[in-house]
Amino acid sequence: MANAAEHGGANGHAGVIGGSGRLGAARLLLWALAGVLAIRQAAAVLRVPPGEWLGEFRLPSGFPGSLYDGGQFTGTPFAGLVLKPFLGLAAPSLEVAWTCVTLLFVAAVGLVAARGLPDPVPRRTALLAAPVLVALMMVSLPVREAASPGQTAVLPVLLVLLAMFRVPGERPAGFLVGLAAALQPALLLFAPLLWFTGRRPTARAAAVTFAAATALSWAALPRDSWTYWVHHLAGTGLGGAPDGLANQSVHGALLRLGLSGPAEILLYVALAAGIGWVGLRRAARYARDGQLLLAVAVTGCVAVAVAPTGWRHQLLWVLLAVAGKVGTRAADRPVWPVAVVLAMTLPADVLLPNLAVLAPVRDNVLLLAALAAACAVPFLPRSSPYWREPVPTAYGRPAAARWSRVPLMPFWRRVLSRPNLLLELLLIRVGYSLYSHIRAAAPTSRSLAEGHGSQIHSVERALGIDIERAVNHAVVNTPWLEKFFNFYYTSFHFVVPLTILAVLYWRRPGDYRWARASLGLATVLALVGFWLYPLAPPRLMPGLGFIDTVHGPQDLAHPQYGAMTAISNQYAAMPSLHFGWSLWCGIVIITLAPKGWQKLLGALHPLTTVCAIVATANHWVLDAVGGAAVVTAGFGLVYVLSGPRGAALPTGLSVPRPREPERMAATSRTRA
């Protein structure tokens, strides 16, 4: 197993840390970003009222007393002994000191982990790994919860990393691992990892330290030790219900699935044993392969998953698992780190829709990420020919602008290969979820929105295009037409764009990227309109006589639509994305469809949509004009960034260089 010397010598990173030029500037900017995020996190924690600081724990100031009478303290009795001396500090001093020390621990974890990357490390990675990792940890769910009053989850991670990478002696390293296990007992699994990788003195020192710390807590706090180790079986049930969402362990997941009693315990023990066996074998293999940081991350994921209670703030190990490389293609390399970052930084309801069938996955996202890192993700060994040189991505040739006055951005290259499906689905889901949240958070002042509605109505009357009321009433008086437009309005808004994207992804990947980028940019521009110009649609304008055909008659003094109002901003009407997305569909189909009838259908879709949004009184005519404007801008931005769409044609592509084993095999065949 690698030690500290292997990561700090002449073959390590030390020679590249003092970079200059653009990489140095990027490094400074990233450290500044990490600092801003740390200050933001500290401000969020320090907003906790002084009376609630450590108020969720009942930590007695003297002996005897109980750590667990309050029912919220989840740490070990040894952790209680560590926390007790801090109670003598004044509340403001304790708040500031605790928060600052916790965030300093996070920064130290990032620095040590970045220096633990397996050699050889590219210069860019060596310079940017530490600030990037620290910034990601500052916004991660574990750190946001670990910085709360009294949590010590970051300290065990730092102790283990120091033992593995920075402490040269076997027994001192074992002491740190044992101390970490005394604070979080499941981390004693690092002792088998040390044993399997030949560091047996360190493993023995870790076990002895853990036993001594536990014995000390039994001697000092016998009642609390009995409560923690025996009555609650290593803390199970302390700090919340074992089946609560905060318990991201296998035991908690089984309880959430409705299992209980002896059957659940037997299944939990069997699963924990299997996960421990598979995870520790994988960790030992990665450690012998020279990927010690990955081995540490895998072991930490195993420890949290198999513990009776694995709290969210203890899952920082998952973020460290981005050190592993997955995939033989360069295009596949971002999938694992992006999936981990999204799972560790975003709420589960952002990653997955609120559907009952997805509840078991949505409720256990962090656990599933830990299990994937521990047992499933096929990390590449360093002996793989793709470790350093994955199969390169194919790019199109740069193309000149068709209009000389429109400059093209030289740094954006058009990718020709099909993007990774999992990565696309993740980004589409997260992008739409963020769009929904931002749209819902846009200004919803009724008076302002109705004032803007009056402005739009006045402009349309001046232009002679105020046809909404006439069309609306004509449709209401024609029942079959009303049903048709209601169905079209509510059904085709998402189905058609997603179908087009799916077909392009499968049949024309180069054009898929062009179409996807233009749709995304148009949607972002629409969000700006929702914020700057909240607008009441015709159906929410009092005194104008519009009829809401989709939702039925409404009391305009209280324009609420139950669940719909909770998930959608009713005044996000300008520009109309109903029409904008349909226009995008029409442009893409007309541009790419090979047959005339397909182009005709593509042209009919935005025409039918504009009739539907006007007939149902959901939009003004000028809303459709706004939708057309943002879609036009979206296509224009894609043109400026990546050139004409025809640049995606695979002309003059270079053939990827064969890997070393392939060259050797070809040479052998030639000689034979």
Side-chain angles (χ1 to χ4, degrees):
M1 180 180 287
N3 54 29
E6 293 173 336
H7 294 270
N11 295 327
H13 322 153
V16 297
I17 295 301
S20 58
R22 288 184 296 180
L23 281 180
R27 185 168 183 252
L28 290 175
L29 288 175
L30 287 170
W31 274 120
L33 174 62
V36 170
L37 293 174
I39 294 173
R40 177 178 176 272
Q41 178 61 39
V45 174
L46 293 177
R47 282 198 294 266
V48 176
E52 297 180 12
W53 188 262
L54 290 177
E56 61 180 350
F57 311 126
R58 185 169 179 175
L59 297 179
S61 58
F63 301 106
S66 177
L67 297 169
Y68 306 108
D69 285 348
Q72 295 298 317
F73 183 56
T74 62
T76 63
F78 180 77
L81 287 176
V82 174
L83 288 173
K84 284 174 64 66
F86 293 99
L87 297 179
L89 296 176
S93 302
L94 180 59
E95 293 178 17
V96 175
W98 189 284
T99 304
C100 293
V101 169
T102 299
L103 297 179
L104 286 175
F105 283 168
V106 173
V109 167
L111 289 169
V112 177
R115 295 298 298 272
L117 292 171
D119 294 324
V121 179
R123 176 182 176 83
R124 178 180 298 177
T125 302
L127 283 171
L128 305 182
V132 169
L133 183 56
V134 172
L136 288 176
M137 287 192 295
M138 289 297 178
V139 297
S140 67
L141 296 174
V143 168
R144 275 146 54 185
E145 294 192 6
S148 300
Q151 302 290 3
T152 59
V154 178
L155 179 58
V157 177
L158 179 59
L159 292 175
V160 170
L161 290 176
L162 290 173
M164 294 295 185
F165 295 106
R166 306 308 299 171
V167 177
E170 296 289 345
R171 287 184 175 82
F175 172 77
L176 293 182
V177 173
L179 198 61
L183 296 172
Q184 189 177 332
L187 298 185
L188 194 60
L189 284 174
F190 278 96
L193 174 66
L194 294 166
W195 187 275
F196 293 155
T197 52
R199 298 181 64 178
R200 297 189 174 183
T202 307
R204 284 193 291 266
V208 169
T209 302
F210 171 77
T214 304
L216 176 63
S217 63
W218 271 95
L221 301 171
R223 177 187 169 190
D224 289 328
S225 297
W226 176 270
T227 300
Y228 181 88
W229 291 107
V230 180
H231 183 67
H232 281 282
L233 295 177
T236 305
L238 291 173
D243 61 348
L245 295 180
N247 182 12
Q248 289 291 304
S249 69
V250 172
H251 179 49
L254 293 176
L255 293 176
R256 285 190 290 274
L257 291 175
L259 301 176
S260 61
E264 187 273 331
I265 294 176
L266 290 176
L267 181 58
Y268 160 62
V269 172
L271 289 175
I275 294 168
W277 174 255
V278 173
L280 287 177
R281 284 174 60 88
R282 280 164 52 94
R285 183 167 69 250
Y286 296 137
R288 289 190 291 265
D289 187 53
Q291 301 186 66
L292 181 55
L293 180 59
L294 179 59
V296 169
V298 167
T299 306
C301 290
V302 172
V304 178
V306 304
T309 50
W311 305 111
R312 282 192 296 255
H313 60 269
Q314 297 173 342
L315 279 161
L316 198 58
W317 306 102
V318 181
L319 198 56
L320 299 180
V322 297
K325 295 183 179 181
V326 184
T328 59
R329 300 190 310 159
D332 294 333
R333 286 291 169 86
V335 177
W336 169 246
V338 168
V340 168
V341 170
L342 292 178
M344 297 296 290
T345 56
L346 298 178
D349 59 351
V350 173
L351 299 175
L352 294 169
N354 189 22
L355 299 176
V357 68
L358 296 177
V361 178
R362 189 176 58 251
D363 293 345
N364 302 289
V365 167
L366 295 179
L367 171 62
L368 293 174
L371 290 176
C375 303
V377 177
F379 298 109
L380 289 175
R382 295 177 70 196
S383 58
S384 169
Y386 302 104
W387 167 262
R388 297 187 62 184
E389 296 184 34
V391 177
T393 301
Y395 296 97
R397 285 180 173 177
R402 291 173 181 168
W403 299 285
S404 59
R405 295 183 180 180
V406 179
L408 302 183
M409 301 292 103
F411 57 82
W412 189 305
R413 295 187 293 171
R414 178 66 61 82
V415 181
L416 301 179
S417 59
R418 182 179 292 109
N420 184 278
L421 180 59
L422 177 60
L423 185 61
E424 285 296 297
L425 293 177
L426 278 172
L427 294 180
I428 288 174
R429 168 58 198 174
V430 171
Y432 178 73
S433 182
L434 294 177
Y435 157 77
S436 300
H437 281 77
I438 295 173
R439 173 188 167 117
T444 58
S445 170
R446 181 186 173 190
S447 59
L448 180 62
E450 290 180 356
H452 289 159
S454 299
Q455 292 176 3
I456 293 293
H457 190 222
S458 299
V459 171
E460 289 189 350
R461 280 188 300 177
L463 297 175
I465 58 174
D466 56 327
I467 61 174
E468 293 89 356
R469 188 178 184 278
V471 173
N472 177 237
H473 281 262
V475 168
V476 169
N477 293 327
T478 312
W480 69 267
L481 195 57
E482 179 183 358
K483 292 180 181 179
F484 170 76
F485 281 131
N486 288 346
F487 174 77
Y488 205 93
Y489 178 83
T490 57
S491 302
F492 287 84
H493 182 44
F494 296 106
V495 172
V496 178
L498 290 177
T499 302
I500 291 174
L501 288 174
V503 172
L504 292 180
Y505 178 87
W506 182 252
R507 300 294 298 271
R508 305 181 69 161
D511 289 324
Y512 166 81
R513 294 178 182 271
W514 164 76
R516 180 250 282 145
S518 59
L519 180 63
L521 290 172
T523 303
V524 171
L525 293 174
L527 288 175
V528 177
F530 298 157
W531 275 87
L532 297 180
Y533 200 77
L535 174 66
R539 60 186 172 83
L540 294 184
M541 288 294 293
L544 297 183
F546 287 99
I547 299 174
D548 190 338
T549 64
V550 176
H551 309 99
Q554 305 296 326
D555 178 10
L556 292 180
H558 303 88
Q560 302 294 322
Y561 304 111
M564 182 182 172
T565 303
I567 64 175
S568 179
N569 183 352
Q570 302 299 294
Y571 298 133
M574 171 62 83
S576 168
L577 280 186
H578 252 87
F579 177 73
W581 287 2
S582 69
L583 179 62
W584 172 88
C585 294
I587 292 174
V588 171
I589 293 174
I590 293 173
T591 303
L592 302 179
K595 298 181 180 180
W597 65 269
Q598 296 171 339
K599 296 178 184 292
L600 178 61
L601 288 178
L604 288 176
H605 178 54
L607 291 176
T608 308
T609 300
V610 73
C611 293
I613 63 176
V614 172
T616 59
N618 275 280
H619 283 285
W620 306 94
V621 171
L622 288 181
D623 295 349
V625 176
V630 296
V631 169
T632 302
F635 280 110
L637 286 174
V638 172
Y639 177 88
V640 170
L641 291 172
S642 57
R645 185 189 60 84
L649 296 177
T651 56
L653 296 182
S654 60
V655 179
R657 294 186 296 112
R659 298 300 183 271
E660 187 64 29
E662 298 169 355
R663 289 198 296 268
M664 294 175 62
T667 304
S668 300
R669 288 194 297 269
T670 302
R671 291 177 178 174

